[in-house]
Amino acid sequence: MDREILRSVQRPLKQLYREKPQAGRILLEASGRLGEEGLSCSVQTGQALVSAGLHPSTGGDGTLACSGEMLLQALVACAGVTMAAVAANRSLGVAGSVHASGVLDVRGTLGMNPEVPVGFSSIKLTFKLQTDASEQDVAQLIETTEKYCVVLQTLHCPPDIEISATRL
């Protein structure tokens, strides 16, 4: 998407949110169905139905998506889209790839040792860029991408999470 198209789409939205800040608060949702394929949860992504299951390191057979990998995929997608939008807004020609990797100790999620945390202990996000932009422009592009990437900022500053269950 080129700069002018991006601006023409975002300009009226930004004006609306300046005039009515509450209009900028949206609710995003995801839903899934439990146990339709054994130890799994099927999630509608908007483009396809994804069945998530256990990673082979925790007893899965590797045929279903791993939710930890899905988290990293969401990070890559968000960072990539954010960078593309920022680059277009700044008229920077940028191509390349985005990669995320994370380290987790599965002993935590398997409940083997209460001292081992559940979840990722570290995540690395890497951009390999093809661009004629200056080093300063690339540094600012990375900084702005980090600042405005929803998934990355959510990982940096975890939100309050409320959990509930209802019996059917």
Side-chain angles (χ1 to χ4, degrees):
M1 180 178 286
D2 87 334
R3 180 181 186 177
E4 289 309 311
I5 293 172
L6 179 66
R7 285 186 174 172
S8 70
V9 169
Q10 290 183 344
R11 189 176 298 119
L13 293 171
K14 288 180 177 181
Q15 184 61 36
L16 170 66
Y17 303 149
R18 281 186 198 97
E19 293 170 6
K20 298 180 180 177
Q22 70 280 8
R25 293 183 55 90
I26 63 170
L27 175 67
L28 300 178
E29 297 180 298
S31 297
R33 303 251 341 136
L34 296 175
E36 293 183 355
E37 287 186 46
L39 297 174
S40 70
C41 180
S42 297
V43 179
Q44 184 65 47
T45 66
Q47 298 296 319
L49 185 67
V50 176
S51 292
L54 296 174
H55 187 274
S57 65
T58 60
D61 64 9
T63 61
L64 301 177
C66 166
S67 55
E69 289 170 337
M70 291 170 70
L71 175 71
L72 297 176
Q73 291 161 355
L75 174 59
V76 165
C78 188
V81 168
T82 302
M83 177 174 279
V86 172
N89 211 2
R90 295 180 180 179
S91 298
L92 299 174
V94 177
S97 63
V98 185
H99 177 79
S101 59
V103 175
L104 76 135
D105 188 332
V106 296
R107 296 175 303 156
T109 195
L110 290 172
M112 296 174 59
N113 181 342
E115 302 296 316
V116 177
V118 176
F120 289 100
S121 60
S122 66
I123 295 176
K124 183 176 182 180
L125 183 64
T126 306
F127 296 92
K128 292 185 179 178
L129 303 177
Q130 298 165 331
T131 183
D132 291 333
S134 70
E135 290 297 320
Q136 181 179 0
D137 284 341
V138 170
Q140 290 174 345
L141 179 63
I142 297 292
E143 181 181 311
T144 306
T145 297
E146 180 176 1
K147 181 176 181 179
Y148 293 111
C149 175
V150 171
V151 175
L152 182 56
Q153 284 304 315
T154 301
L155 291 169
H156 276 311
C157 306
D160 294 331
I161 298 176
E162 179 181 323
I163 301 172
S164 66
T166 305
R167 293 182 70 133
L168 299 177

